[in-house]
Amino acid sequence: IKPLEKDKLEKALIKYLIKKEKTLQLKKINVNDKNINVIDVRMGLVRFNYNSELYVKCIQKFLKYKNSHNEIVEFLRNNQKDEAIRLAHSIKGIAANLSIDKLSKSAHNLKEKLSNESMDSSYEIKEFTEILSYVIKKIENKEVFQQISNRKI
């Protein structure tokens, strides 16, 4: 309603921002929880035309991004925001192709936040770090490969 009443607008914004802040509480991923499925093996195999050998090889190659969260933070410390954005973008695409959808979405959110000059990206960095670490552990302990070889899809 125009004209805007400053007091009412301020109260509405504060109410909204506090509510929004509460909904952004990060849910810690329990690495030992076998029910969390961050890698959609079935969809990954579809994307790779059921070539499980190639899919496994690409997932193994993904391990080279193991420390990318540290690289992104380091880029930001060194005022190399474009490099941080580029790395987040690369991980977003690679994760999407491998059907690691939660990581792809998190990398997308991080990229978007980094692209916006005035936004704080600490929440997105933390979320990205936790999801990436969880995915890497799933790959390193060979759970994903067991799913592929057992055809639990």
Side-chain angles (χ1 to χ4, degrees), residues 21-120:
E21 188 174 299
K22 286 180 183 176
T23 62
L24 288 178
Q25 296 295 323
L26 189 62
K27 294 175 186 153
K28 187 79 175 159
I29 296 174
N30 181 357
V31 177
N32 299 315
D33 187 351
K34 303 288 184 196
N35 296 321
I36 294 177
N37 184 22
V38 294
I39 304 174
D40 186 348
V41 171
R42 184 186 61 77
M43 196 62 212
L45 285 170
V46 168
R47 285 192 175 120
F48 280 75
N49 201 26
Y50 295 97
N51 185 338
S52 58
E53 198 173 301
L54 179 60
Y55 186 48
V56 165
K57 188 176 180 179
C58 289
I59 288 175
Q60 288 170 328
K61 282 187 167 194
F62 184 76
L63 288 173
K64 79 177 189 177
Y65 293 99
K66 177 180 194 164
N67 296 312
S68 59
H69 57 290
N70 292 329
E71 291 176 46
I72 288 172
V73 169
E74 196 60 32
F75 283 140
L76 294 173
R77 278 193 192 124
N78 294 326
N79 293 320
Q80 297 175 304
K81 191 181 245 188
D82 289 342
E83 286 80 0
I85 292 169
R86 199 174 353 261
L87 181 54
H89 177 79
S90 295
I91 292 169
K92 175 189 77 135
I94 294 165
N97 284 322
L98 295 173
S99 292
I100 310 173
D101 298 331
K102 287 181 184 178
L103 181 60
S104 179
K105 183 168 177 42
S106 179
H108 170 77
N109 293 341
L110 176 57
K111 177 185 158 260
E112 291 300 309
K113 206 55 115 148
L114 292 173
S115 296
N116 188 330
E117 294 292 325
S118 62
M119 298 291 245
D120 175 29

Side-chain angles (χ1 to χ4, degrees), residues 116-128:
N116 188 330
E117 294 292 325
S118 62
M119 298 291 245
D120 175 29
S121 59
S122 55
Y123 172 83
E124 286 75 15
I125 291 172
K126 184 177 180 188
E127 178 188 63
F128 174 79

